[in-house]
Amino acid sequence: MAPPTGPRGGSNNRKPTARASRGGVAKHRAATRTDRDGDVSMGAPISGSNPPTGPSGRGTRGRGAARGAPARGSRTSSRLAQNLKNYIGEGGSKHAKTTLKILGVKNSKAASNSDGGVKGLLQFIERKADKDKKIVLGRGVLDGDYVWVKANKDDVSSIMHLNGYQYAGAPITIEETTEPFPTGTKFSKDAADTRQKLLALLAKRYNAEQKLLDLSALGTDDILGNLGAVGSQSLAEKSFRAIIHVAGEQFKTAEEKRQGIQSVSLARNEISDVDQVFTLAYSLPHLRRLDLSNNRLATFSSIAKWKQEFRYLEELYLVGNPVTGVADYAVQITQWFPCLQILDGNIVRSPQEAAEALKAMTPQPLAQLPSNLRDGENNVASIFLRSFFQLYDHDRPALAAQFYDAESVASLSATPEPGRDVEWKPYMKYSRNIQKLGGSRNPAVVQRLFTGASLIAEMWKSLPATRHATLDQPELWIIDCHTFPHLADPSGHGFAMGLMINVHGQFEEADTTEELYGTRTFSRSFILGPSKPGAPHPYRVLSDQLTIHKWTPRAAGAASVPVTTGAPAAPIAPVAPVVAAVPVIDDATRVQLIQELARRTGMNAQYSELCLSGTANWNFDLALQSFEEQRANLPPAAFTAPA
């Protein structure tokens, strides 16, 4: 808003000038007067609940309007602003806020401070989060072991990189949450009095029968006038946010609020940009009828901030605003609100067209495509995955020894569901979720990248026992495999071809420490490449990235994942023989085994070797058994041509 152009009170000797093009929610004054902040002006007497059909008259000013700014000047205005701020807290801001939980302050040296170390912690975060940008946090609340605070959504990524940092001698853990912010805050007497007056305002402006919240011409409201709540633009906007906040508190659930307030009138408030009342879109996103008539919205840009917001809005009134004279006005507004059927009293869509427009604007889930295994004639990916998940469920140390070496890297990423910290506890200390850790500057990003078979096996030991479905149940898996060129050949001779395998599925999980049993979905990405000479398999895992998804508790009466003591704690009734450790076999013996298997099965030497070196691990009897199981799936090229 533009700054004021003259004294607040004006002068009787001055000639009236045209009203400046300011808007928002402020008191309606004589044309020559502007307040010090470029007020949000609230104009004429309260209209009825019916939408206006044309420009309204100015009307006479009520008693509240005649009072002007608070008589006690800036200190009174500041106190009122603080009362409003204390009441609405951080939740009434027009900017998107994210709730953060910070663990660790109770273990710090600052815990003995009078406020439990909260103030110092928040100052530390504000100072360290971003050197190039000023971070401002909301009021912190110490509740149990956590400090709760709200931050601007745009600042969260900068704040999260402090995850794992030391504060006053103790590490801190920062996480986002959708849990309700701790309640029970006691307000000052003045703030409580302000709340009661706002409740009185709502009582006379809410029509339960029409489900209408009539906030038209707020500048003439006696209650707001007595409060001095519209004496400046900043006070007026805070007052509006407080009104919306108090209104929302009267409903126990979001659904009750959705049903209880379906219409809102903001007519005759001299609003020049919806940003001044933007909080309405956050608090009442499912609004069906909105009256913005006889304000000062002049361009599409003054309304554009609400584009894509009120997706279920069916009626909108903008008559009496200059924007209605702009070319393509009706077309543009109709496009912004998919369910809009009535604009300024005119039908612009049928209910069927509105439903189709909403569907077109709503993101649709991608179709689930079948697995795509392109691993060549050797079936390397299929053989590897069968062996991998069986060993992961039964013998993780043996799995690491067979398919991983000193150059293999593995990582785990977990995004815990709000309110289910216990179910995610085994994974969180290893989780390398960059979004949660806050970027590469957090040392945990490096520490949680496990390199080498021994470290990977140690990490696996701490994870819950699992049982994956067999690959013979394709409806439970999505597997994509593609060639991955230009891998360094471990022999040192140029480049080699590898495979990238992406797996999506689910497994049964048993966490015996917390006595939790359930099912979890996951995604896992592998990059396979040729092994070094002398390795137990011709290929190795170069990269293994596991992403843990949703956890669902086991249904009552369902069989649990059987678990015994010892490491690894995942002995599950096998559907195929458990693969033993790879024996040490010399080259001559390998050649003899390949020749004998080829003679017994009719396969060529290449497929005979793959059969022996796969899940059979050079066990001849297991190789024969595997051949019999897979015989029908083998291509003609696997067999020796008849003489």
Side-chain angles (χ1 to χ4, degrees):
M1 304 299 145
T5 57
R8 183 180 298 272
S11 171
N12 293 333
N13 296 326
R14 295 180 183 269
K15 294 182 179 180
T17 58
R19 180 175 292 273
S21 180
R22 298 180 312 280
V25 195
K27 190 169 284 192
H28 189 106
R29 307 185 190 282
T32 57
R33 300 179 184 177
T34 59
D35 50 47
R36 191 163 45 218
D37 296 315
D39 207 5
V40 184
S41 186
M42 293 184 175
I46 301 174
S47 67
S49 61
N50 296 326
T53 57
S56 66
R58 294 290 183 188
T60 58
R61 292 189 299 271
R63 288 177 297 166
R67 286 185 174 85
R72 287 183 248 179
S74 60
R75 281 193 295 175
T76 303
S77 298
S78 298
R79 186 159 58 253
L80 175 61
Q82 187 60 47
N83 290 342
L84 291 169
K85 181 179 179 181
N86 287 345
Y87 180 68
I88 65 175
E90 305 298 333
S93 173
K94 66 184 178 182
H95 301 291
K97 295 285 185 179
T98 296
T99 301
L100 302 176
K101 290 169 59 179
I102 308 169
L103 180 66
V105 69
K106 281 201 168 183
N107 298 325
S108 71
K109 299 175 183 177
S112 59
N113 295 352
S114 59
D115 66 344
V118 174
K119 182 178 179 181
L121 173 65
L122 300 187
Q123 290 175 342
F124 170 80
I125 293 174
E126 290 175 339
R127 187 173 64 253
K128 295 287 189 180
D130 196 322
K131 295 180 180 178
D132 302 321
K133 176 183 177 182
K134 184 177 180 181
I135 303 293
V136 179
L137 298 174
R139 174 177 54 87
V141 174
L142 182 60
D143 186 64
D145 293 330
Y146 289 90
V147 173
W148 295 65
V149 67
K150 291 196 175 185
N152 289 330
K153 193 171 184 179
D154 294 340
D155 296 337
V156 171
S157 59
S158 298
I159 295 171
M160 293 303 295
H161 92 267
L162 297 178
N163 206 337
Y165 273 46
Q166 295 279 329
Y167 165 68
I172 58 174
T173 302
I174 306 173
E175 60 180 279
E176 294 181 53
T177 181
T178 57
E179 298 174 58
F181 202 83
T183 56
T185 304
K186 295 183 179 179
F187 304 114
S188 67
K189 183 178 181 299
D190 288 343
D193 183 60
T194 298
R195 180 180 185 276
Q196 291 303 315
K197 290 179 179 179
L198 294 180
L199 285 171
L201 178 145
L202 288 168
K204 72 175 184 177
R205 285 178 171 268
Y206 177 64
N207 186 319
E209 183 178 349
Q210 298 181 11
K211 300 181 179 181
L212 166 69
L213 182 58
D214 183 2
L215 301 180
S216 60
L218 289 174
T220 63
D221 191 279
D222 289 347
I223 294 176
L224 294 179
N226 290 331
L227 280 172
V230 289
S232 72
Q233 176 183 329
S234 59
L235 276 177
E237 293 189 11
K238 285 185 176 70
S239 300
F240 179 78
R241 294 199 296 272
I243 291 169
I244 296 299
H245 187 75
V246 174
E249 278 192 332
Q250 308 315 302
F251 302 93
K252 294 181 180 179
T253 66
E255 180 59 26
E256 284 187 11
K257 182 169 68 172
R258 175 179 176 177
Q259 296 297 328
I261 303 178
Q262 297 185 9
S263 305
V264 169
S265 175
L266 292 176
R268 291 188 288 283
N269 281 313
E270 298 203 15
I271 300 169
S272 64
D273 195 302
V274 297
D275 189 55
Q276 296 155 353
V277 288
F278 190 83
T279 189
L280 187 71
Y282 281 127
S283 183
L284 300 170
H286 294 87
L287 207 60
R288 295 177 60 188
R289 290 172 290 275
L290 177 61
D291 183 3
L292 286 168
S293 60
N294 294 299
N295 281 292
R296 295 161 63 181
L297 301 167
T299 63
F300 289 141
S301 62
S302 65
I303 310 173
K305 292 184 180 66
W306 273 352
K307 177 182 178 181
Q308 311 289 336
E309 290 295 338
F310 296 103
R311 293 200 167 194
Y312 304 95
L313 191 68
E314 298 174 359
E315 297 182 38
L316 175 63
Y317 295 90
L318 287 166
V319 292
N321 286 277
V323 70
T324 58
V326 177
D328 297 325
Y329 153 73
V331 174
Q332 185 68 75
I333 297 299
T334 303
Q335 289 177 350
W336 286 356
F337 302 100
C339 281
L340 191 64
Q341 300 173 41
I342 298 175
L343 176 61
D344 299 336
N346 302 312
I347 297 177
V348 293
R349 274 198 192 99
S350 67
Q352 293 78 13
E353 290 172 333
E356 292 174 1
L358 178 63
K359 183 178 179 180
M361 188 174 287
T362 304
Q364 300 297 317
L366 295 175
Q368 181 171 313
L369 300 177
S371 297
N372 183 11
L373 275 172
R374 290 186 283 181
D375 58 348
E377 296 181 354
N378 295 334
N379 296 320
V380 171
S382 301
I383 295 173
F384 165 73
L385 292 176
R386 285 182 181 276
S387 180
F388 179 90
F389 288 112
Q390 186 182 12
L391 282 172
Y392 188 84
D393 291 342
H394 291 74
D395 194 346
R396 293 174 187 173
L399 171 62
Q402 291 183 38
F403 289 106
Y404 295 73
D405 63 14
E407 297 176 357
S408 300
V409 294
S411 66
L412 183 154
S413 178
T415 305
E417 300 167 87
R420 283 190 162 179
D421 294 345
V422 176
E423 291 88 340
W424 293 83
K425 185 177 178 181
Y427 298 100
M428 292 311 299
K429 61 182 177 180
Y430 301 117
S431 177
R432 199 168 178 253
N433 187 323
I434 303 297
Q435 183 179 2
K436 293 292 183 182
L437 296 177
S440 58
R441 286 182 289 181
N442 190 331
V445 173
V446 177
Q447 296 168 357
R448 296 178 184 182
L449 180 63
F450 297 88
T451 303
S454 58
L455 286 178
I456 294 171
E458 285 298 315
M459 183 261 289
W460 285 347
K461 285 181 181 179
S462 301
L463 302 183
T466 59
R467 176 166 59 191
H468 293 75
T470 68
L471 294 182
D472 297 323
Q473 299 173 280
E475 69 278 5
L476 300 180
W477 299 86
I478 297 179
I479 303 172
D480 294 324
C481 177
H482 304 274
T483 55
F484 198 90
H486 303 297
L487 292 175
D489 192 320
S491 65
H493 302 294
F495 297 98
M497 184 69 73
L499 290 177
M500 173 178 279
I501 308 173
N502 296 309
V503 182
H504 305 276
Q506 65 182 36
F507 54 75
E508 294 179 51
E509 180 180 279
D511 184 353
T512 55
T513 303
E514 301 292 341
E515 293 295 323
L516 292 172
Y517 304 91
T519 302
R520 193 182 293 277
T521 57
F522 75 97
S523 300
R524 200 155 194 160
S525 297
F526 302 97
I527 295 179
L528 304 186
S531 297
K532 295 180 179 179
H537 283 279
Y539 47 85
R540 58 177 172 163
V541 176
L542 298 176
S543 175
D544 173 5
Q545 181 176 337
L546 171 62
T547 303
I548 301 298
H549 299 307
K550 184 178 180 180
W551 181 86
T552 304
R554 187 187 69 201
S560 62
V561 180
V563 177
T564 59
T565 58
I572 300 170
V575 296
V578 177
V579 181
V582 179
V584 179
I585 301 176
D586 57 40
D587 291 341
T589 303
R590 292 191 182 196
V591 171
Q592 292 176 358
L593 290 172
I594 292 171
Q595 291 174 345
E596 180 60 20
L597 185 62
R599 185 185 69 80
R600 296 273 295 271
T601 64
M603 290 191 297
N604 58 35
Q606 181 183 17
Y607 273 83
S608 297
E609 181 179 2
L610 285 172
C611 188
L612 284 162
S613 63
T615 57
N617 292 318
W618 296 97
N619 182 308
F620 190 82
D621 292 335
L622 287 180
L624 276 176
Q625 180 181 341
S626 178
F627 168 76
E628 294 298 336
E629 292 175 353
Q630 298 297 324
R631 184 171 190 170
N633 300 324
L634 292 174
F639 298 93
T640 304

